[in-house]
């Protein structure tokens, strides 16, 4: 009888420990998801707020550009990119992102006198892959004090499976012709 009571206590303690371990694993997974969503939010804020005049100056100012071994380099711009986006992307994707998307909206807005304002972001982790997130950003854009309009910008982000919390692939998919509107 006494052994049975001890076994019941041990079983109870074991079940409590298993439950607590399950809760910790569940909480840490949710924490990673929240961190990933914060990374996406921050990158979209950098893309659709401003554009940042110092960033634009670093990108376009000919004083910062020089040709080394037949290739144009801009150390000031590279430093700005690293400081702004470096914590959020894998090293290889950061270069790809900047060449493909990273300057597209801010520089087009800057060149044509538009201000961008990130209004809202919805982010959803997809069921197909745990490291894939889709986003919809509501972006306000306004030219020289004119009437503000908004556009929805959609895209997908894959987080690296090797570097936790770092974007391994970033792509825009739709933008309700925002880039064309900013080009006018």
């Amino acid at each position: 009888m006494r052994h049975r009571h001890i076994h019941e206590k041990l079983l109870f303690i074991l079940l409590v420990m298993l439950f607590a371990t399950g809760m910790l694993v569940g909480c840490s997974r949710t924490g990673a998801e929240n961190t990933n969503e914060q990374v996406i939010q921050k990158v979209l804020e950098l893309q659709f707020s401003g554009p940042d005049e110092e960033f634009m100056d670093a990108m376009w100012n000919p004083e910062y550009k020089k040709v080394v071994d037949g290739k144009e380099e801009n150390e000031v711009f590279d430093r700005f990119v690293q400081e702004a986006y470096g914590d959020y992307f894998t090293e290889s994707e950061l270069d790809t992102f900047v060449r493909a998307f990273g300057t597209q909206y801010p520089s087009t807005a800057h060149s044509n006198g538009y201000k961008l304002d990130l209004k809202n972001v919805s982010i959803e982790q997809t069921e197909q892959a745990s490291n894939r997130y889709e986003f919809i950003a509501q972006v306000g854009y306004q030219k020289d004090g004119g009437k503000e309009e908004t556009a929805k910008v959609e895209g997908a982000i894959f987080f690296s499976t090797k570097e936790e919390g770092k974007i391994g692939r970033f792509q825009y998919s739709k933008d309700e012709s925002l880039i064309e509107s900013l080009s006018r």
Side-chain angles (χ1 to χ4, degrees):
M1 187 80 172
R2 197 168 195 309
H3 286 299
R4 183 175 167 198
H5 188 64
I6 291 172
H7 286 279
E8 287 174 355
K9 279 186 174 182
L10 286 173
L11 182 60
F12 176 76
I13 290 170
L14 183 61
L15 287 173
V16 168
M17 288 174 65
L18 283 171
F19 179 74
T21 303
M23 289 295 288
L24 286 173
V25 169
C27 289
S28 67
R29 189 174 298 125
T30 301
E33 289 168 13
N34 287 339
T35 301
N36 289 350
E37 290 180 12
Q38 290 167 355
V39 166
I40 295 167
Q41 177 77 32
K42 187 62 182 166
V43 168
L44 293 174
E45 285 171 6
L46 288 166
Q47 285 283 283
F48 298 114
S49 298
D52 182 299
E53 293 301 320
E54 289 182 56
F55 191 80
M56 291 297 110
D57 182 56
M59 183 167 65
W60 293 114
N61 192 328
E63 291 177 25
Y64 303 136
K65 297 176 183 182
K66 61 183 176 184
V67 177
V68 178
D69 296 329
K71 183 180 169 193
E72 185 178 282
E73 291 186 4
N74 183 338
E75 290 178 12
V76 174
F77 179 68
D78 292 345
R79 189 170 49 249
F80 262 89
V81 167
Q82 189 60 44
E83 288 172 5
Y85 293 99
D87 289 344
Y88 308 118
F89 286 86
T90 62
E91 192 173 320
S92 62
E93 180 58 16
L94 180 58
D95 185 50
T96 302
F97 168 76
V98 170
R99 281 188 285 114
F101 302 114
T103 61
Q104 176 182 341
Y105 291 104
S107 66
T108 304
H110 175 77
S111 296
N112 297 300
Y114 281 92
K115 293 292 180 203
L116 299 173
D117 182 25
L118 183 64
K119 301 289 185 187
N120 186 37
V121 178
S122 64
I123 301 166
E124 189 174 304
Q125 187 176 14
T126 63
E127 292 180 15
Q128 299 98 322
S130 63
N131 68 327
R132 183 175 196 261
Y133 291 76
E134 294 177 349
F135 66 84
I136 300 173
Q138 293 286 339
V139 179
Y141 59 101
Q142 183 176 22
K143 185 169 188 165
D144 299 325
K147 181 178 179 254
E148 184 180 51
E149 298 186 51
T150 60
K152 257 195 300 191
V153 178
E154 299 179 36
I157 291 175
F158 292 82
F159 278 86
S160 171
T161 55
K162 294 182 174 92
E163 294 180 58
E164 189 174 324
K166 299 252 185 178
I167 295 171
R169 191 164 135 227
F170 182 107
Q171 63 189 42
Y172 290 115
S173 56
K174 298 179 191 171
D175 77 351
E176 290 187 335
S177 300
L178 176 60
I179 200 68
E180 287 86 5
S181 297
L182 295 176
S183 298
R184 293 185 213 137

